[in-house]
Amino acid sequence: MANLLAQLFHWLIAMALVDPRRTQPWRPGSFTKNFSWGPKGHGLKQLYQSIRVGFDNTLADVPRQVFRERLKGAGRPDYIPLNFFLYNKIVDGVDYIIVDELVFQAIEEDHSLRFDKLALFAFVLSLAGRWTGSKDWQSFPSLWAHYYVRDRVNTDLRWNTDRVNADDIEDFVRKDKRYTGITARKLATNLNYLFSNGHLGDLQTEKIERWWVDALFLSLDRIIEDAEARGDPEPRPETYAQLLEQYGFSAITGPLSREKGFAIRHLVSLYEACGGRSRFSDDVIKQRTLALPDVEWIIANDPRPGGAVHPSNPRILKTIPRSCAILAVYAGFEFLDPEELETFDPVSWVREYTRKALAKLRASGTKPIMTSVELMKLTRDK
């Protein structure tokens, strides 16, 4: 019952907000071509490697043309990563592929199931930006996938992904007047294959997983960039949670739950504290931390990312650039060094966090005002 109420609440919020993509046409584009994903067990490793090649393993925006040349030099297809998975931006007349959460994960982490889920989410989110000569619909290149997950998988099937197949996808797309393709069969089989490689079925959990946390950051990266590209005012941090609902974040990331709802508020605070997409710029982060006390401890020889975990729920765990550490602490998170992040165990962390909290209380002279028996009696009476 609680989950149904949560679904209704989020549905009402989403319906009250206008998604600018609702009336956009659905065009198949180049997705009807084969990307050569490789063996099924490899997941989306081909995309992961393409991102690393295109960015030359660095966290810096790269000209779109340079990205294309690097992929072609490596014998890799370029249009699918560029037009469907990554974000394009025109800066001073030059087309760029920007660094966002998907690129951060590809450069800083080993390929994993976590990356595959995040990449699938990036595709379903369907925000690809703009480049010179691009059409309006290319900014939202895979709306047929977005609304298949948002309206069919989430609303109709309630995340029973056993019913997802190429026939169901084709039927959904063909019946929608927004689809402009002549045929939907090739698109449906390609999308079904992508769903399989990206592990759509694993999104059925109500619990928070690390890819989900990453997806929230990726959503905000692209939603805010998209507002800028349209010439809209920059979204204010207090509107971030609403924007996530407007763009269907909760609907395309698995079943809704109270745990996820509570986590969104904390993660939005962390995102804002770290400067949004500026978290990838050491110079910008340095300026944000200059006014804060005790910043020396964040300066370390180890440049690897660390982790930010929220005390209320150890599953609210986000990999962040090392330079964001102090900002995460001021946002109410605990910072984990790379070694701590690598071996992180939620149960052990809760025990240690509780031990430290109790030790702090004892050191301050704080003592209980009632016994455990009295406390149990009080709760029973209530």
Side-chain angles (χ1 to χ4, degrees):
M1 184 64 180
N3 288 334
L4 287 176
L5 290 174
Q7 282 190 338
L8 177 61
F9 173 73
H10 284 278
W11 180 83
L12 290 172
I13 291 177
M15 290 300 101
L17 299 168
V18 178
D19 185 337
R21 301 167 299 171
R22 271 286 177 189
T23 58
Q24 291 286 330
W26 298 356
R27 299 181 185 273
S30 58
F31 187 71
T32 51
K33 299 177 182 178
N34 289 324
F35 179 62
S36 302
W37 289 106
K40 212 165 189 178
H42 284 194
L44 304 185
K45 191 172 184 178
Q46 291 290 334
L47 174 68
Y48 169 87
Q49 293 174 336
S50 292
I51 293 174
R52 293 173 69 90
V53 169
F55 278 89
D56 196 25
N57 291 311
T58 61
L59 291 175
D61 297 351
V62 59
R64 179 180 166 98
Q65 185 58 36
V66 172
F67 190 100
R68 291 188 63 193
E69 290 170 356
R70 287 172 177 168
L71 260 62
K72 286 183 177 179
R76 294 177 175 275
D78 57 338
Y79 279 119
I80 296 297
L82 286 170
N83 295 1
F84 289 92
F85 287 91
L86 296 168
Y87 195 88
N88 298 260
K89 182 177 183 178
I90 302 174
V91 182
D92 297 329
V94 179
D95 300 328
Y96 279 88
I97 308 299
I98 69 169
V99 174
D100 60 13
E101 186 64 32
L102 181 64
V103 177
F104 175 66
Q105 294 295 332
I107 301 299
E108 295 290 355
E109 302 277 358
D110 294 334
H111 175 253
S112 65
L113 180 61
R114 177 180 155 205
F115 172 85
D116 291 345
K117 293 178 184 178
L118 180 63
L120 176 63
F121 170 81
F123 180 88
V124 173
L125 181 62
S126 192
L127 287 175
R130 292 158 177 77
W131 59 94
T132 303
S134 64
K135 305 292 192 298
D136 288 343
W137 63 268
Q138 289 179 293
S139 297
F140 318 117
S142 46
L143 287 180
W144 26 270
H146 177 87
Y147 287 110
Y148 178 77
V149 175
R150 187 169 177 172
D151 296 341
R152 176 62 175 158
V153 178
N154 176 67
T155 303
D156 296 343
L157 303 183
R158 296 192 179 184
W159 285 97
N160 178 9
T161 56
D162 290 340
R163 294 174 63 183
V164 173
N165 54 56
D167 291 339
D168 192 70
I169 295 170
E170 182 182 15
D171 183 64
F172 175 85
V173 171
R174 280 194 307 102
K175 288 180 178 178
D176 199 291
K177 294 180 180 179
R178 289 169 292 184
Y179 184 66
T180 63
I182 298 174
T183 176
R185 188 60 191 175
K186 184 67 172 179
L187 176 143
T189 55
N190 282 354
L191 181 58
N192 190 53
Y193 189 78
L194 180 62
F195 282 160
S196 177
N197 270 11
H199 304 275
L200 179 72
D202 290 354
L203 274 58
Q204 297 179 62
T205 179
E206 295 181 355
K207 293 183 179 180
I208 294 171
E209 294 183 336
R210 290 186 63 186
W211 78 267
W212 182 90
V213 176
D214 299 334
L216 186 146
F217 269 53
L218 178 61
S219 293
L220 291 176
D221 285 342
R222 298 197 178 183
I223 290 170
I224 294 169
E225 286 287 348
D226 195 61
E228 179 184 332
R230 292 197 311 271
D232 293 345
E234 182 177 349
R236 301 184 308 278
E238 59 267 27
T239 68
Y240 287 174
Q242 286 184 324
L243 285 170
L244 288 169
E245 292 304 322
Q246 179 180 339
Y247 280 80
F249 173 76
S250 294
I252 62 176
T253 53
L256 299 172
S257 66
R258 289 183 178 180
E259 182 184 27
K260 291 178 179 178
F262 290 139
I264 288 174
R265 176 168 57 88
H266 297 308
L267 290 168
V268 163
S269 295
L270 178 64
Y271 182 86
E272 192 277 329
C274 287
R277 204 169 70 84
S278 296
R279 66 191 180 277
F280 305 120
S281 171
D282 288 341
D283 291 338
V284 173
I285 294 301
K286 189 179 296 183
Q287 289 297 319
R288 292 177 68 89
T289 58
L290 283 178
L292 300 175
D294 304 323
V295 299
E296 293 83 2
W297 66 276
I298 71 168
I299 303 172
N301 293 325
D302 190 343
R304 292 178 298 167
V309 59
H310 199 272
S312 68
N313 184 347
R315 283 196 286 267
I316 305 177
L317 174 63
K318 181 73 190 77
T319 305
I320 57 174
R322 173 77 193 198
S323 56
C324 292
I326 190 68
L327 299 172
V329 171
Y330 273 81
F333 284 70
E334 297 284 321
F335 182 72
L336 305 175
D337 284 321
E339 289 78 11
E340 295 175 306
L341 178 60
E342 188 174 339
T343 60
F344 183 79
D345 173 63
V347 175
S348 299
W349 186 85
V350 168
R351 288 173 181 164
E352 181 62 15
Y353 187 83
T354 303
R355 186 192 65 77
K356 289 180 179 178
L358 292 173
K360 188 175 181 180
L361 287 173
R362 284 194 294 268
S364 67
T366 302
K367 296 181 180 180
I369 60 174
M370 64 176 65
T371 66
S372 59
V373 174
E374 292 172 328
L375 180 60
M376 289 298 293
K377 184 178 184 300
L378 180 64
T379 56
R380 289 196 188 99
D381 290 343
K382 292 293 184 183

